[in-house]
Amino acid sequence: MAAAGPQNLAAIAAGGARPVSGTAPSAGPKFSKSGTVWRVIAPEVVLRNTVTDADGDTSTETFQVYTTNADGTPKAAIDLDGSGPNGVLVSPYVASGGLAKVTVSYGVLKPGVLYAFRTSAFDGSLYETTWSPWAYFRIDPYMKFPAPQTSSTIDPVAQENIAFTRTDPGPALPTLDTHGAVKREATQPRTCGKADAEGRKICIELSPPTAESKARAEKRTAALREATMAKARKAGKSSAEAAAVAADAPLADLVPWCSDEPVGTDYLNRTDACMKSIGSGTLVFVDSEDATIGSATFDFEQRIKTYPNKAAGGSNFAEFDQQIRIMPVLISPELKGVTLRWNTQSTCAACVTSVIRWADDFNNAAGDNAYWDANDWNAYTDGRWGTRATTWNGTGKETIDLGWSVTATVDASTTATATADFGTSGIPQVREIAPRCDDYLTPSLPGCVLPYFKPTYTVDTNKYPAAGAYYWYMQQVMPDHAGSKRWDSLLHYLGPDTPLTNSAGNKWTQANSRNVICGTSSAWTIHPSDASVGSVDCDEYAMATTHESGGYPQSVNLVTSGTKCAQLFTDKMGDGSANFGLLADTRTATNGPSGTERCGRAAISSTQNEEAFSSYPAPAWRMLDGDGFFLNLPGYEHCTSAATTCTWSKIG
């Protein structure tokens, strides 16, 4: 402090009172504490303290900032104004009892460093003779992450199969909820056909998977692989070659991964459906008095495979295939033989279907229908696989509803039949296994997918950690949590078939959405950052390729300008590490993001901004307008709150 000059002495002699700094200096934005340390979210730190003067005079406050020792005690003064090692900042005059404050320019203070500061007041005549108590602050980013890695094991478009529940399994099976509990009991557990000339009938009863049917499935898988290996060895293959062939058993399976999944659950990805919850069917042959003559029991499964492009399907048309798997459990000799005919229906307006190809468990041709001689069958290696191919030659897009049933006959009767209804591809509101075919995407030609499956795009946060950090923060603070699996909130693709048009009458594109948030009229300018950050771009969230973009006219997050978004930027940490951080850009909103903004824009490394989404969408997803997807951000999924700094964790 400077010594009291003549004017100060005169003021004192005249009975003037010295101004006094407040005892609780604070730092921000957002002026929140973590323990005894103020957590600041921007490098343009605002320091403030109250000041009072008994005479009611206006006063200024001088702010002094120090680095700290390892034990937290003040160490060395920071040059705040460029005048030298002890440079300070002085606030404007404020009324007695008011809040004096100063803003430290960018680059003076570094993120991640613990600082101490204090104040002293001056009313124009008298200086305060002491300093205020020390207060401590640190510039803490929302997210902290390293420099990008040059290589990574993360596959951005890798998918995991999901379990799903059929909404229409047919009248003979119960409808289950997502937890497997019965939502609706079967409405028609037994169906019987017309009697033959002797009054005999066939009835069929379906039942969901049981512990017994699940155990049979495990034995069947083991027996089939053992038999497949034995056949391969007999054909001259080595043990290793035979084992490789057996690993793919059953060879006729349209969806090879399906056989390894547990029975009793249905599974789905963007191209394949694996239905293993159909359970068992018991065929009962009764006489005119309803006395049982004989019976047969079979286990059932189904598959659907779609081909998203010509290369996958092998034709110039869009294609999807369906398959039923029927496995004998019991066949009474009295039936002599059993034939099961698979019936398929569809609503397709532009489809051509093949005849059903039947094969045995080893993919050998097995006749025109599924047939078993009552005296010659094996419970574990005598399944039948019926496969029907459907090609779509339409234009635009079509979602195709499917339905299935099985009709049974027995050799003991020439005319008795019964049909079991296996349900459909889902109620109209859900359609969980209804294929969709289209010809919108070029150059992949027409193709089909199962759009009920919502893919997940995984940002490679090893290579693009800044982009991943920014996206994770926005997912947490946006009201709709767009793209977050944690919040079960989808992003929806802005596809080539969008009906929305721009002012010129052309289809609305991502460039139109981006222009609102980051374009030339959006008032975005680059925030300063350390040279190690490199070239930066304006990166918007939600992305301009989605309906959730703040620039998309029908978005729930629609804003008039990018200035309404959360303003952020990336910068180098100053704590001696090689890390970077995501910080608040307070040039537009002086207190930083409120945490309620419906969009974000951030200064992100140009490379990360351009490449983090370069693999989206994968061609096999065949994304059209409005298709939903999740955004996965490994390395940040352990983070629990946007209110504290979260540090990236290495993946792989």
Side-chain angles (χ1 to χ4, degrees):
M1 289 293 296
Q7 288 184 332
N8 288 328
L9 293 175
I12 294 170
R18 295 181 185 275
V20 179
S21 293
T23 59
S26 59
K30 301 180 178 237
F31 300 98
S32 62
K33 266 187 175 181
S34 176
T36 60
V37 178
W38 293 96
R39 183 191 182 222
V40 181
I41 58 172
E44 293 90 347
V45 180
V46 178
L47 304 174
R48 65 189 189 186
N49 198 3
T50 57
V51 59
T52 56
D53 187 278
D55 299 327
D57 295 334
T58 59
S59 303
T60 67
E61 277 192 314
T62 297
F63 289 77
Q64 190 177 50
V65 178
Y66 276 63
T67 59
T68 58
N69 294 303
D71 62 0
T73 56
K75 179 181 180 181
I78 299 290
D79 180 8
L80 297 180
D81 64 356
S83 63
N86 296 308
V88 296
L89 291 177
V90 179
S91 76
Y93 282 90
V94 297
S96 178
L99 193 63
K101 58 184 177 181
V102 296
T103 299
V104 182
S105 298
Y106 173 81
V108 176
L109 303 175
K110 303 297 182 184
V113 177
L114 179 66
Y115 293 102
F117 78 101
R118 59 185 180 179
T119 68
S120 184
F122 173 62
D123 65 4
S125 299
L126 298 174
Y127 288 98
E128 186 177 9
T129 57
T130 59
W131 289 95
S132 71
W134 289 103
Y136 295 86
F137 69 91
R138 182 186 291 109
I139 304 168
D140 281 335
Y142 296 109
M143 314 292 289
K144 191 161 60 174
F145 44 87
Q149 298 180 38
T150 56
S151 62
S152 176
T153 58
I154 294 175
D155 182 353
V157 297
Q159 301 297 298
E160 293 182 359
N161 302 325
I162 63 167
F164 73 99
T165 301
R166 291 180 64 194
T167 57
D168 181 21
L173 289 176
T175 300
L176 307 178
D177 63 18
T178 54
H179 304 291
V182 175
K183 244 169 69 172
R184 188 211 70 192
E185 295 290 350
T187 58
Q188 190 181 3
R190 170 181 274 207
T191 56
C192 299
K194 292 182 179 180
D196 64 11
E198 299 176 38
R200 298 174 299 179
K201 294 186 298 186
I202 296 174
C203 299
I204 300 178
E205 299 174 355
L206 296 183
S207 61
T210 62
E212 291 78 11
S213 67
K214 293 176 182 179
R216 288 195 297 268
E218 292 180 1
K219 291 181 180 179
R220 192 178 290 120
T221 298
L224 188 53
R225 285 181 173 162
E226 183 177 338
T228 302
M229 184 177 291
K231 284 178 176 288
R233 284 175 175 166
K234 189 174 181 179
K237 293 187 179 294
S238 67
S239 295
E241 291 171 332
V245 173
D248 292 331
L251 303 177
D253 203 330
L254 186 64
V255 180
W257 57 263
C258 185
S259 293
D260 292 324
E261 298 292 345
V263 170
T265 304
D266 295 330
Y267 305 90
L268 189 71
N269 60 35
R270 191 72 174 177
T271 58
D272 304 336
C274 164
M275 290 172 279
K276 306 188 79 168
S277 68
I278 296 173
S280 306
T282 297
L283 179 157
V284 183
F285 188 42
V286 298
D287 63 18
S288 59
E289 303 295 327
D290 279 341
T292 299
I293 300 170
S295 63
T297 299
F298 299 88
D299 290 336
F300 295 96
E301 297 177 8
Q302 282 188 242
R303 315 281 195 262
I304 298 175
K305 186 173 189 64
T306 64
Y307 300 93
N309 51 54
K310 176 183 176 181
S315 73
N316 286 321
F317 299 101
E319 180 181 337
F320 63 91
D321 296 347
Q322 304 171 68
Q323 187 175 67
I324 190 170
R325 182 186 189 187
I326 309 175
M327 298 145 287
V329 177
L330 167 70
I331 304 176
S332 297
E334 292 81 2
L335 303 182
K336 297 183 180 179
V338 178
T339 298
L340 295 179
R341 186 175 73 248
W342 186 38
N343 314 303
T344 68
Q345 304 87 36
S346 88
T347 61
C348 185
C351 287
V352 176
T353 58
S354 72
V355 298
I356 297 174
R357 172 188 178 272
W358 287 93
D360 64 16
D361 278 330
F362 305 98
N363 208 20
N364 300 307
D368 296 331
N369 290 292
Y371 176 78
W372 294 266
D373 186 318
N375 298 307
D376 184 18
W377 60 277
N378 184 292
Y380 298 113
T381 60
D382 208 10
R384 294 292 182 268
W385 302 75
T387 304
R388 164 159 277 169
T390 301
T391 55
W392 179 83
N393 56 9
T395 58
K397 61 183 175 182
E398 183 179 4
T399 300
I400 302 159
D401 295 311
L402 306 174
W404 310 278
S405 63
V406 169
T407 299
T409 59
V410 296
D411 289 354
S413 172
T414 57
T415 58
T417 65
T419 298
D421 187 345
F422 277 30
T424 70
S425 50
I427 62 175
Q429 302 91 324
V430 183
R431 306 170 94 181
E432 62 274 8
I433 39 179
R436 184 189 67 201
C437 303
D438 76 273
D439 65 350
Y440 279 106
L441 305 185
T442 55
S444 64
L445 297 181
C448 306
V449 290
L450 297 169
Y452 177 81
F453 178 86
K454 306 303 185 282
T456 297
Y457 185 82
T458 300
V459 173
D460 189 340
T461 56
N462 289 332
K463 290 184 175 181
Y464 316 116
Y470 164 49
Y471 300 157
W472 186 90
Y473 173 79
M474 290 307 304
Q475 281 186 347
Q476 309 317 303
V477 301
M478 287 175 66
D480 66 337
H481 308 291
S484 172
K485 275 192 172 182
R486 173 187 174 191
W487 299 94
D488 194 26
S489 180
L490 292 165
L491 288 160
H492 296 86
Y493 184 53
L494 175 59
D497 55 323
T498 178
L500 196 66
T501 57
N502 57 28
S503 58
N506 300 317
K507 282 188 179 294
W508 189 270
T509 68
Q510 61 176 313
N512 298 132
S513 292
R514 179 173 171 78
N515 186 57
V516 177
I517 307 301
C518 289
T520 53
S521 61
S522 67
W524 184 81
T525 57
I526 296 174
H527 187 287
S529 60
D530 188 83
S532 60
V533 174
S535 172
V536 299
D537 290 334
C538 177
D539 192 5
E540 76 277 9
Y541 196 90
M543 292 72 68
T545 53
T546 70
H547 287 196
E548 285 67 32
S549 166
Y552 181 71
Q554 297 177 357
S555 175
V556 296
N557 300 315
L558 181 63
V559 294
T560 55
S561 166
T563 59
K564 307 295 184 182
C565 302
Q567 313 292 316
L568 303 155
F569 78 105
T570 53
D571 206 359
K572 183 77 167 59
M573 297 296 291
D575 56 5
S577 71
N579 289 328
F580 295 79
L582 179 71
L583 297 154
D585 179 349
T586 55
R587 294 174 301 165
T588 299
T590 56
N591 204 35
S594 66
T596 60
E597 289 86 357
R598 292 190 170 275
C599 56
R601 60 180 185 181
I604 298 292
S605 157
S606 300
T607 299
Q608 296 197 45
N609 178 41
E610 294 165 5
E611 297 183 6
F613 250 66
S614 60
S615 299
Y616 176 83
W621 298 354
R622 204 162 189 96
M623 300 287 280
L624 296 183
D625 191 57
D627 279 2
F629 69 99
F630 290 106
L631 183 64
N632 186 33
L633 303 165
Y636 298 105
E637 298 299 340
H638 67 284
C639 303
T640 58
S641 172
T644 57
T645 300
C646 182
T647 302
W648 173 88
S649 296
K650 181 176 172 61
I651 302 299

